[in-house]
Amino acid sequence: MRASLTSSLPLSRHLHHYSDGIHRSSLFPPRCFRFLPRSLPMFHNFKSLPKMSPKSPNRPVFAVRNSSSITAKPSSEFRKKHNDSDQDEKLRALRDLFSKPGIGIDAYVIPSQDAHQSEFIAECYMRRAFISGFTGSAGTAVVTKDKAALWTDGRYFLQAEKQLSSSWILMRAGNLGVPTTSEWLNDVLAPGCRIGIDPFLFSSDAAEELKEAISKRNHELVYLTDFNLVDQVWKESRPKPPSKPIRVHDVKYAGLDVSSKLSSLRSELIDAGSAGIVVSMLDEVAWLLNLRGNDVPHSPVMYAYLIVEIDEAKLFVDNSKVTPKVMDYLKNAGIELRPYESILSEIERLAAQGAQLWLDTASVNAAIVHTYRSTCDKYFQSLGNKHKKMDLTNHDSGSRSGGTTAVYRTSPISMAKAVKNHAEYEGMRNSHLRDAAALAQFWAWLEEEIQKDVVLTEVEVADKLLDFRSKQAGFLDTSFDTICGSGANGAIIHYKPEPDCCSIVDSEKLFLLDSGAQYIDGTTDVTRTVHFGEPSARQKECFTRVLQATRQSPLVPTNGDNLKGAGAAIEKISPNPQISSSSKKQLSKPNKKTTTNKEKQIPCKPHKNINQVNIFYRNFWLKKRIKTIQHATWKLTVKFLDWM
């Protein structure tokens, strides 16, 4: 998910501008562009669509027309020429490190994330991209002594085919017969091997899952905490860490000051019986402290950890980013500054005192959790037999045998951040209004240029949109790289046009524009599929068929209490919701999943404003489904048109 952080993170991106209402009147010449909306009028009379089940003998069959104009090539022919020797040299250098003293591994796993489990990261942390050449935002590389493989999802299959050299095996994750990383390691390695990871780059949960999976072949998971092996290969050519200054996010946009937010968080800590919480997600740190940064492209966050205790708080950040104004702000809020790299030493200090910390193991990295647990074990061992026999009934069930305990729960900040206050709502509305004005100017300009038969590249169109947006009050940056695709380029998800390899905007082809902006008071994300003339019957047919297929999927997940009543809510906002009766029944009752001992002994209290939280989850999943439908519709439509 792209970071959405200005004041309305992360809900502001739900409020898309629905430009489908632009009328073709006498103000527009006959050759005006036409939006292809997500919900076409042809569906309004359908009460339901036929279910497509592979078990049904009467399922509908879609016929594909034969055509002699099919020129589709196998994906292997789309590979660009690579400097394979350069990629081979990187792999050789990495493998040379496997046998060094203190390392001694047989394989190394390189994920996409940084130490904060971010999807989008600073250039200096793009280790998987450096070692493999694949620059997509999602993927995992695994290097053994004689093989190298990269896993990515369907969004990036085409991109990975183009960017990977012949030294790499592309694993199309999710396809039938494609093993997971752990399955592949268990298959290609002899039993009893050592598999290394950088524990900063894995959440604690992810590391434990990998450890359990590879143990089936008696493999050992090795934490290489002191240094990252890819960094050793990267050396001096590695980009410098970001150092742009941090700024204070005005309370008129945030709605709550930092003191109020910290006070609420400390109340949660007291209720949980916790001495402090480790906050590692960048958006949570920024939201809680009302600070913004520029460390990650398109996302107003800064690299930092935060530890909040009952009577103090410590921010671990590069001091060079802290301006005198921010320094005074933090001092007034009672927040101490510590070096970014000193986070583990502080965890050790707290654990050595027996502090019971709140850890969200789904987001806090394995290095922090492992350091805390191992230090706690040493602490309790030093107390002697008397304390080993102490009554631990008041401790969290996540405790380790003979050691101190931690509160293993989802971060309370994520839930607090999801419930928007009045100032944040206003920021979302106002930023979208300004963004809509920029988009209206852009579409009017583009239509006029197309009518004049001006030759425009995708890059020129994206740059012009940025120009319109940058003139709006409060504009900070784009919220992601603009996806501007004419014809077949729109089938490439997360496509970014480049000056040396982009297309001309063709008035006879469908045109996809997916773009957004970061404003000081909100974030936008708008997707439109348009045609600049009269769509052909074939274009309409392809778009319709794909849209019909995508509408078979349920709009929301059915995962229990958090979504109770969501079905009825969506019916009110959707003109033709396709939710089956069974799904509605499941939405109305909790999910009866088996709970762990930890969940039984640490019941999470209902949120004070559960209705707003329900709306958040409903909107989040609805947005996610709409986004999936839009991308699937566009991708398949373009492939139909371009290959037939």
Side-chain angles (χ1 to χ4, degrees):
M1 179 181 291
R2 306 181 182 106
S4 175
L5 229 210
T6 40
S7 76
S8 49
L9 72 172
L11 277 185
S12 61
R13 297 175 62 229
H14 299 308
L15 303 181
H16 291 189
H17 308 298
Y18 287 94
S19 303
D20 303 326
I22 295 179
H23 297 290
R24 296 182 294 275
S25 65
S26 59
L27 296 176
F28 293 91
R31 193 184 180 188
C32 61
F33 60 81
R34 303 194 177 189
F35 286 88
L36 299 179
R38 298 185 180 104
S39 179
L40 298 179
M42 64 188 72
F43 294 122
H44 291 177
N45 295 326
F46 293 178
K47 294 183 179 179
S48 63
L49 293 171
K51 294 185 178 180
M52 298 178 64
S53 170
K55 297 180 180 179
S56 172
N58 299 319
R59 65 181 184 274
V61 176
F62 292 102
V64 179
R65 296 172 181 166
N66 188 14
S67 174
S68 59
S69 63
I70 295 179
T71 58
K73 299 179 181 180
S75 59
S76 59
E77 294 189 24
F78 287 101
R79 280 187 183 271
K80 291 183 178 179
K81 291 184 178 180
H82 295 271
N83 185 350
D84 285 7
S85 61
D86 182 52
Q87 292 297 326
D88 290 343
E89 182 59 33
K90 291 178 182 178
L91 289 175
R92 276 195 295 268
L94 180 62
R95 287 165 175 150
D96 287 344
L97 296 173
F98 287 8
S99 57
K100 296 292 183 181
I103 299 178
I105 58 174
D106 301 284
Y108 194 58
V109 183
I110 309 156
S112 300
Q113 295 82 4
D114 55 24
H116 305 268
Q117 308 309 302
S118 309
E119 179 182 2
F120 298 97
I121 59 180
E123 188 179 4
C124 63
Y125 300 126
M126 295 180 179
R127 300 178 173 100
R128 187 223 64 227
F130 167 78
I131 201 68
S132 69
F134 168 65
T135 60
S137 66
T140 300
V142 179
V143 179
T144 69
K145 292 180 178 180
D146 59 354
K147 293 181 176 65
L150 180 129
W151 280 255
T152 191
D153 59 58
R155 296 173 298 168
Y156 296 111
F157 289 168
L158 291 177
Q159 181 178 343
E161 288 168 355
K162 293 179 180 180
Q163 293 181 332
L164 291 178
S165 75
S166 58
S167 302
W168 288 83
I169 304 168
L170 174 57
M171 296 291 187
R172 295 171 175 81
N175 281 8
L176 187 65
V178 176
T180 63
T181 54
S182 57
E183 290 171 343
W184 186 75
L185 284 167
N186 286 340
D187 182 54
V188 302
L189 296 178
C193 286
R194 287 164 52 89
I195 299 169
I197 65 169
D198 181 343
F200 282 99
L201 306 185
F202 287 77
S203 70
S204 178
D205 284 353
E208 289 296 325
E209 182 180 352
L210 177 60
K211 180 180 179 180
E212 181 180 356
I214 63 176
S215 66
K216 297 175 182 177
R217 294 275 287 175
N218 296 319
H219 298 316
E220 177 187 358
L221 188 64
V222 181
Y223 284 8
L224 301 175
T225 306
D226 294 336
F227 53 84
N228 184 282
L229 298 191
V230 175
D231 293 349
Q232 301 298 304
V233 177
W234 213 341
K235 297 180 179 178
E236 294 80 12
S237 62
R238 183 187 175 200
K240 299 295 182 183
S243 57
K244 293 183 180 180
I246 299 170
R247 61 182 173 85
V248 177
H249 187 56
D250 200 307
V251 70
K252 70 179 180 181
Y253 302 122
L256 287 173
D257 59 30
V258 63
S259 298
S260 300
K261 292 181 178 180
L262 289 174
S263 178
S264 297
L265 177 59
R266 284 168 173 147
S267 296
E268 296 270 3
L269 296 179
I270 293 172
D271 291 344
S274 176
I277 183 171
V278 179
V279 186
S280 67
M281 298 293 284
L282 301 185
D283 60 330
E284 293 187 3
V285 174
W287 179 86
L288 185 63
L289 300 183
N290 288 343
L291 294 176
R292 299 294 185 265
N294 295 283
D295 287 355
V296 178
H298 314 297
S299 302
V301 296
M302 63 282 177
Y303 278 104
Y305 296 99
L306 178 66
I307 295 179
V308 179
E309 300 174 69
I310 300 301
D311 55 357
E312 60 182 336
K314 301 180 183 69
L315 179 65
F316 299 80
V317 68
D318 181 356
N319 284 349
S320 66
K321 303 175 188 177
V322 182
T323 64
K325 180 180 179 180
V326 173
M327 185 79 74
D328 292 340
Y329 170 82
L330 293 172
K331 184 177 180 180
N332 293 334
I335 300 168
E336 301 178 32
L337 279 179
R338 297 291 175 87
Y340 178 79
E341 298 81 8
S342 66
I343 181 65
L344 290 188
S345 61
E346 181 64 17
I347 295 295
E348 287 179 341
R349 187 188 71 82
L350 292 171
Q353 297 174 353
Q356 184 175 358
L357 295 182
W358 185 320
L359 298 171
D360 183 349
T361 53
S363 60
V364 175
N365 65 55
I368 290 177
V369 176
H370 177 73
T371 299
Y372 175 75
R373 287 172 173 170
S374 59
T375 307
C376 285
D377 287 346
K378 295 177 184 177
Y379 166 75
F380 268 85
Q381 289 171 6
S382 68
L383 293 180
N385 293 331
K386 176 181 177 180
H387 291 279
K388 286 184 180 179
K389 298 177 181 179
M390 67 185 294
D391 181 13
L392 298 175
T393 56
N394 291 329
H395 285 195
D396 181 74
S397 62
S399 62
R400 294 162 58 99
S401 176
T404 191
T405 62
V407 175
Y408 296 118
R409 297 189 194 176
T410 300
S411 169
I413 302 170
S414 61
M415 189 65 73
K417 183 164 61 71
V419 182
K420 299 302 176 183
N421 57 53
H422 177 74
E424 291 171 321
Y425 277 131
E426 285 301 305
M428 285 191 280
R429 294 187 185 99
N430 293 333
S431 63
H432 276 81
L433 287 172
R434 298 196 301 277
D435 200 61
L439 282 167
Q441 291 175 314
F442 164 78
W443 285 118
W445 167 82
L446 182 57
E447 180 186 5
E448 183 177 349
E449 296 299 292
I450 293 294
Q451 290 170 357
K452 294 177 181 178
D453 294 325
V454 176
V455 176
L456 294 170
T457 67
E458 295 164 333
V459 169
E460 290 171 335
V461 170
D463 289 345
K464 189 64 177 181
L465 175 57
L466 175 60
D467 180 59
F468 281 118
R469 278 195 165 115
S470 63
K471 295 175 182 177
Q472 292 297 320
F475 175 84
L476 300 174
D477 192 6
T478 54
S479 54
F480 52 95
D481 288 324
T482 297
I483 303 169
C484 178
S486 177
N489 288 342
I492 305 173
I493 300 177
H494 291 185
Y495 168 74
K496 180 185 177 183
E498 299 290 352
D500 59 341
C501 59
C502 66
S503 296
I504 301 296
V505 177
D506 190 334
S507 62
E508 299 303 318
K509 294 181 179 179
L510 294 173
F511 176 74
L512 173 73
L513 183 70
D514 186 356
S515 66
Q518 295 281 8
Y519 295 94
I520 195 169
D521 52 349
T523 307
T524 67
D525 179 349
V526 187
T527 306
R528 290 292 174 269
T529 303
V530 305
H531 196 289
F532 297 102
E534 179 66 33
S536 67
R538 185 63 179 153
Q539 288 173 327
K540 293 178 181 179
E541 179 186 4
C542 290
F543 190 93
T544 301
R545 293 301 185 191
V546 175
L547 184 59
Q548 284 176 319
T550 58
R551 285 172 67 92
Q552 301 303 309
S553 302
L555 285 175
V556 293
T558 55
N559 61 342
D561 282 339
N562 284 339
L563 287 173
K564 186 179 290 185
I570 289 177
E571 286 183 350
K572 294 180 181 179
I573 64 173
S574 175
N576 186 27
Q578 300 297 323
I579 303 177
S580 65
S581 57
S582 61
S583 296
K584 292 179 181 177
K585 290 179 181 179
Q586 194 168 354
L587 283 171
S588 65
K589 61 183 180 181
N591 186 8
K592 296 181 179 179
K593 66 176 183 179
T594 304
T595 57
T596 63
N597 291 334
K598 178 171 63 175
E599 290 170 325
K600 291 178 181 177
Q601 296 187 26
I602 315 176
C604 290
K605 297 188 299 183
H607 196 276
K608 295 178 181 178
N609 200 341
I610 196 66
N611 288 332
Q612 290 192 41
V613 176
N614 284 343
I615 293 172
F616 162 70
Y617 278 105
R618 177 203 70 196
N619 288 343
F620 174 81
W621 286 105
L622 178 60
K623 178 196 73 172
K624 192 168 184 179
R625 175 56 59 189
I626 287 176
K627 198 73 172 177
T628 301
I629 289 174
Q630 191 276 331
H631 278 306
T633 303
W634 170 248
K635 183 173 181 179
L636 293 177
T637 301
V638 170
K639 286 189 175 181
F640 269 45
L641 294 169
D642 210 50
W643 294 348
M644 295 186 64

